[in-house]
Amino acid sequence: MGKLLRLSASLLLASSMSSYADNPIFQTDFTADPAPVVVGDTVFVFTSHDEDGVDYFTMNQWRVFSSTDMVNWTDRGVPIHNTGFAWADKDAAWASQMIERDGKYYFYVTSTNKGPRAIGVAVSDNPAGPYRDAIGKPLAGPHWNYIDPTVFIDDNGQAYAYWGNPTLYWCKLNRDMVTIDGKINESNMKEKSGHNYTEGPWISKRNGVYYMIYASHGVPEKISYATSNSPEGPWTYKGIIMEGGRDNEVNNFAFTIHSGVIDFKGHSYFFYHNQNLKNEEGYTGGFTRSCCVEEFSYGADGSIPRITATDLGVKNAVHNLNPYERVEAETKAFSHGLRMDYSDRNNVYVKGIDNGDYIKVRSVDFGTDGAFKFVASVRAASGKGGIIEVHLDKKDGTKVASIGVEPTGNSWRELEADMEGVTGVYDIYFTFYGQNSDMFEFDYWYFIDSAHSTPQTPYNSVPAAIPGKIQAEEYDLGGPRKGFYDMDVQNRGEAFRNDGVDIYESDEPNGFAVGYAQKDEWTAYTVNVEESKVYGIKARLSTGNPRSGIMLYLDDELISDTIRTADNNADWSAYEIAETETTKTLAEGEHILKIKIVGDWINIDWVEFVDKSTGLETVAKTVQSGIYTVYGINGKTLCRLRIDSDSHIPSLLRTKGLPNGIYLLKSADNSGSMTVIVE
Ligand code: FUB
């Protein structure tokens, strides 16, 4: 269509003034037919996606969102496109539902097959997908009545599928979840029955009672429910849950509603859709719908109450959001004027950011120590850029941080801003200002608290000795920007430490390496240069990219050329030792050494500084008299010693019962240190 989708909300003012959640819950595209499902600690909502500017149910893909708190939703992209079902016609990616069985996720959809409708099933190893067609043909259909699948596994393991308009059909599913067991049945719920059944069934079970919630009364639809003591019916009509219709003053209902219900963390939630969002031309209608959610409570007798649609939605978050962990920019309670980029399945990010746009994130708990830094990962093209401001509780509430975004070329960059120790719980607003449209892209953010404002200290308590070997994973304590700079906050290798640097087990027993290293990332080490001189350098590296490399800096001054491995056939497990020497004399004393990545994708096992004059990798030196603390090579304090200028230190160490090995001695007044070999 080529038309830029820009959504605004008719209830935007009321919503953004409120400290409550915001309906509709997804604002960057039109979404319909919400199908919630709980997987562990996370709620996933699968939706269909109404195209903008259409006058029929024109839908080409499904969408999936997730939340752990029921107020902030993360856009997880497109689980499968209509074209993922080779047998499906275009424009017909209608209502769906996902269910888990035996560690696999089954996604049941409505599509069409050469005109009539059909139920398809796709499968994935991950709840958010990507999904692939499980059987290469419709599970049921083609048949003009076959829409809106809902699926359920009973306590005895028997799975059932239901669907249909204007009759409710059902069948048993085999354990494989992708074939039908027996025949397709018609239930007693039909258009002209006392149930006023229309479409959009939703099956659930609670306290031994089977609930069938469904769109009823033709169009404009209401939501009603029926119950049974068997998943196979017959069903007894119980009443209306939500009134629809255009005459409703609270809510701008579409002529369809389509609902889904879950229990999550002791609360019950009712999902539906309305037509409250408008496109940038101010248009809305029954074919451009948006999903909403309300919290409700079952009656003591198990009845479902009348639920009123609100613009506020869920009032209380299930838990507060931790801002000190990486939060995706596409995680939000509400936003204005943004779009999402789904081109990389593994990394949805926010784009289409114009002057005045904003993102609202609810119930952010800065704790009692307080946030001292705001970090945002952004990308801005040449000639673009803008400002991200962080405000508390309102779009124009107290401003606590501001980042200027300059062009970053093709790279994502973490930019940061200092803050004055914000404490407590707030809704936060990221507001975007600047001259251009599409000012920059926004991938993720996090804050740094005072716990991470701890001073930079050596990993092993004492500075690493030069000459000597420095294990890459033993970078300084102190957190981001002190001990390291890593572009993402997770440890992708999941080994050794867990503060954001990617650390993997190396090829050696009990060995580790810093890996997944990207250009401009660095790790820092407090070192002690024992003697002013030019040192030899050895670096044990592996890389999948001949252009990968590292450079070494001492107190931010470059001390090496680019150190690369030889072209090693992109074999990550083939570590090589690259050899060179410092490009300048390293001054005696304590410094900060940085290993900086200058070419993406390299693993660093260790870097060693070698005394070229002796060939020894660790040496002892002339001693000043005084009290020294003795540390093991792992940084553990072993004992204290009085040393005189004529002491034979290895013998002294032996008298303390220390075995052969390498020891670091540091004078009590910090005036000197040395490495001693006992052999
Ligand atoms: O989204 C297309 C159709 O509209 C669904 O299949 C129905 O349930 C109604 O919501």
Side-chain angles (χ1 to χ4, degrees):
M1 223 167 12
K3 183 161 73 170
L4 184 67
L5 179 69
R6 304 279 299 156
L7 300 176
S8 59
S10 55
L11 297 176
L12 188 59
L13 248 188
S15 299
S16 59
M17 297 299 285
S18 159
S19 62
Y20 294 154
D22 303 83
N23 275 330
I25 51 179
F26 316 127
Q27 309 85 25
T28 50
D29 262 326
F30 293 116
T31 55
D33 306 322
V37 54
V38 177
V39 180
D41 277 347
T42 304
V43 175
F44 290 84
V45 178
F46 289 79
T47 76
S48 27
H49 162 48
D50 287 342
E51 298 292 344
D52 187 16
V54 295
D55 54 7
Y56 188 57
F57 296 118
T58 306
M59 301 143 87
N60 288 303
Q61 55 188 220
W62 292 270
R63 292 287 167 81
V64 58
F65 304 81
S66 66
S67 177
T68 59
D69 60 17
M70 288 303 296
V71 298
N72 296 302
W73 293 93
T74 304
D75 193 322
R76 308 292 293 269
V78 179
I80 187 169
H81 197 277
N82 196 36
T83 53
F85 297 94
W87 48 266
D89 306 331
K90 68 183 180 75
D91 293 345
W94 287 19
S96 66
Q97 188 183 334
M98 187 275 269
I99 196 167
E100 178 185 10
R101 173 152 231 172
D102 299 334
K104 290 213 176 294
Y105 303 90
Y106 296 90
F107 186 48
Y108 298 83
V109 303
T110 312
S111 193
T112 62
N113 183 221
K114 300 188 179 67
R117 312 231 160 258
I119 307 300
V121 56
V123 65
S124 176
D125 293 329
N126 295 300
Y131 285 82
R132 60 183 164 74
D133 187 355
I135 50 178
K137 61 182 182 184
L139 174 70
H143 188 301
W144 284 106
N145 290 358
Y146 282 13
I147 66 170
D148 297 356
T150 179
V151 186
F152 164 73
I153 301 171
D154 208 350
D155 301 333
N156 62 6
Q158 178 61 57
Y160 293 88
Y162 309 76
W163 65 87
N165 171 340
T167 295
L168 178 71
Y169 302 88
W170 67 273
C171 69
K172 287 183 179 174
L173 292 175
N174 288 313
R175 177 99 201 173
D176 64 12
M177 299 299 280
V178 300
T179 52
I180 291 174
D181 176 9
K183 66 180 178 55
I184 294 172
N185 309 281
E186 286 190 17
S187 77
N188 67 322
M189 289 175 57
K190 300 181 199 305
E191 186 179 25
K192 299 263 182 317
S193 70
H195 301 88
N196 281 308
Y197 175 80
T198 304
E199 60 181 6
W202 186 267
I203 175 82
S204 62
K205 184 181 185 184
R206 200 166 181 277
N207 297 334
V209 177
Y210 299 85
Y211 290 76
M212 188 65 73
I213 298 170
Y214 55 92
S216 61
H217 297 83
V219 291
E221 291 176 345
K222 305 177 191 294
I223 296 291
S224 298
Y225 78 108
T227 59
S228 178
N229 58 13
S230 163
E232 302 178 15
W235 299 93
T236 304
Y237 182 68
K238 288 291 180 179
I240 293 171
I241 300 173
M242 182 171 272
E243 292 283 354
R246 312 267 167 71
D247 57 352
N248 187 301
E249 287 177 8
V250 184
N251 202 299
N252 192 8
F253 280 107
F255 62 86
T256 61
I257 301 185
H258 200 110
S259 60
V261 171
I262 52 164
D263 285 336
F264 180 60
K265 306 251 173 180
H267 303 262
S268 300
Y269 299 97
F270 178 85
F271 291 76
Y272 60 101
H273 64 226
N274 65 16
Q275 57 181 49
N276 266 2
L277 288 190
K278 296 174 181 173
N279 71 5
E280 69 172 356
E281 284 87 34
Y283 172 77
T284 187
F287 302 114
T288 46
R289 301 161 293 176
S290 296
C291 296
C292 300
V293 62
E294 310 290 347
E295 187 173 347
F296 74 100
S297 299
Y298 287 85
D301 59 354
S303 59
I304 303 178
R306 289 274 179 138
I307 298 173
T308 303
T310 71
D311 63 321
L312 302 177
V314 175
K315 288 183 182 167
N316 298 313
V318 167
H319 62 79
N320 291 331
L321 184 144
N322 177 0
Y324 302 115
E325 292 177 352
R326 169 177 165 150
V327 181
E328 298 301 319
E330 63 273 17
T331 297
K332 56 201 184 56
F334 204 86
S335 67
H336 175 85
L338 310 167
R339 285 172 291 135
M340 296 292 165
D341 191 290
Y342 301 127
S343 53
D344 176 356
R345 246 230 62 98
N346 297 314
N347 187 26
V348 175
Y349 59 86
V350 172
K351 65 180 182 181
I353 300 175
D354 298 342
N355 183 40
D357 290 349
Y358 68 86
I359 289 172
K360 173 186 179 182
V361 183
R362 282 194 55 203
S363 298
V364 177
D365 187 355
F366 288 105
T368 50
D369 289 340
F372 287 87
K373 233 179 238 311
F374 167 58
V375 181
S377 175
V378 294
R379 185 167 67 179
S382 167
K384 298 279 188 172
I387 295 170
I388 306 176
E389 291 183 355
V390 184
H391 293 260
L392 301 182
D393 280 340
K394 290 191 287 187
K395 184 172 174 287
D396 55 358
T398 307
K399 183 168 84 178
V400 292
S402 176
I403 287 180
V405 180
E406 303 282 337
T408 64
N410 282 329
S411 308
W412 289 104
R413 287 275 175 277
E414 278 195 356
L415 304 180
E416 63 178 42
D418 288 332
M419 303 168 61
E420 300 220 342
V422 174
T423 58
V425 181
Y426 302 90
D427 295 346
I428 58 172
Y429 287 74
F430 300 114
T431 55
F432 308 109
Y433 297 106
Q435 304 293 326
N436 298 305
S437 56
D438 295 323
M439 296 185 293
F440 51 87
E441 295 158 340
F442 189 11
D443 189 9
Y444 62 85
W445 56 268
Y446 58 95
F447 291 82
I448 298 176
D449 65 1
S450 61
H452 288 98
S453 299
T454 47
Q456 181 175 350
T457 50
Y459 181 76
N460 288 318
S461 309
V462 292
I466 290 180
K469 188 182 280 182
I470 297 164
Q471 296 293 339
E473 68 276 13
E474 295 188 350
Y475 48 85
D476 284 353
L477 304 172
R481 306 275 167 179
K482 294 200 175 98
F484 62 87
Y485 166 61
D486 194 282
M487 296 218 194
D488 61 71
V489 292
Q490 85 204 84
N491 175 357
R492 293 171 191 247
E494 295 178 354
F496 195 70
R497 295 167 76 168
N498 197 21
D499 53 10
V501 177
D502 306 306
I503 304 176
Y504 295 79
E505 288 179 11
S506 74
D507 58 332
E508 295 181 327
N510 301 319
F512 299 96
V514 169
Y516 215 88
Q518 289 179 260
K519 184 173 179 303
D520 293 338
E521 291 181 341
W522 49 259
T523 42
Y525 309 80
T526 306
V527 294
N528 184 54
V529 177
E530 296 193 346
E531 197 175 339
S532 296
K533 60 168 71 172
V534 170
Y535 287 88
I537 301 172
K538 294 180 179 181
R540 191 165 189 269
L541 310 168
S542 83
T543 176
N545 177 359
R547 298 180 59 184
S548 306
I550 61 171
M551 281 182 170
L552 305 182
Y553 290 76
L554 205 65
D555 298 335
D556 288 327
E557 201 183 327
L558 187 62
I559 57 161
S560 78
D561 293 325
T562 303
I563 307 171
R564 304 184 200 277
T565 58
D567 200 351
N568 68 356
N569 303 324
D571 183 353
W572 289 100
S573 58
Y575 280 84
E576 293 180 2
I577 296 176
E579 294 197 43
T580 181
E581 62 182 33
T582 58
T583 50
K584 52 184 56 162
T585 299
L586 307 190
E588 181 179 327
E590 200 165 295
H591 304 276
I592 300 295
L593 172 77
K594 266 187 191 163
I595 303 177
K596 197 164 177 185
I597 311 304
V598 292
D600 283 343
W601 315 133
I602 190 164
N603 292 341
I604 306 142
D605 188 2
W606 47 254
V607 171
E608 182 170 20
F609 290 86
V610 181
D611 186 326
K612 297 196 316 156
S613 58
T614 65
L616 285 175
E617 294 167 3
T618 49
V619 292
K621 56 175 279 197
T622 334
V623 180
Q624 284 184 344
S625 303
I627 303 292
Y628 283 73
T629 306
V630 181
Y631 301 91
I633 199 71
N634 59 359
K636 196 169 161 196
T637 306
L638 300 174
C639 60
R640 279 161 75 84
L641 273 184
R642 159 132 217 120
I643 292 178
D644 295 314
S645 53
D646 58 353
S647 298
H648 185 251
I649 302 166
S651 306
L652 268 180
L653 293 174
R654 267 197 212 98
T655 63
K656 288 280 178 183
L658 296 175
N660 287 353
I662 302 172
Y663 299 93
L664 185 83
L665 279 64
K666 205 169 175 194
S667 64
D669 62 2
N670 264 343
S671 62
S673 66
M674 66 189 131
T675 304
V676 176
I677 303 170
V678 179
E679 54 186 40

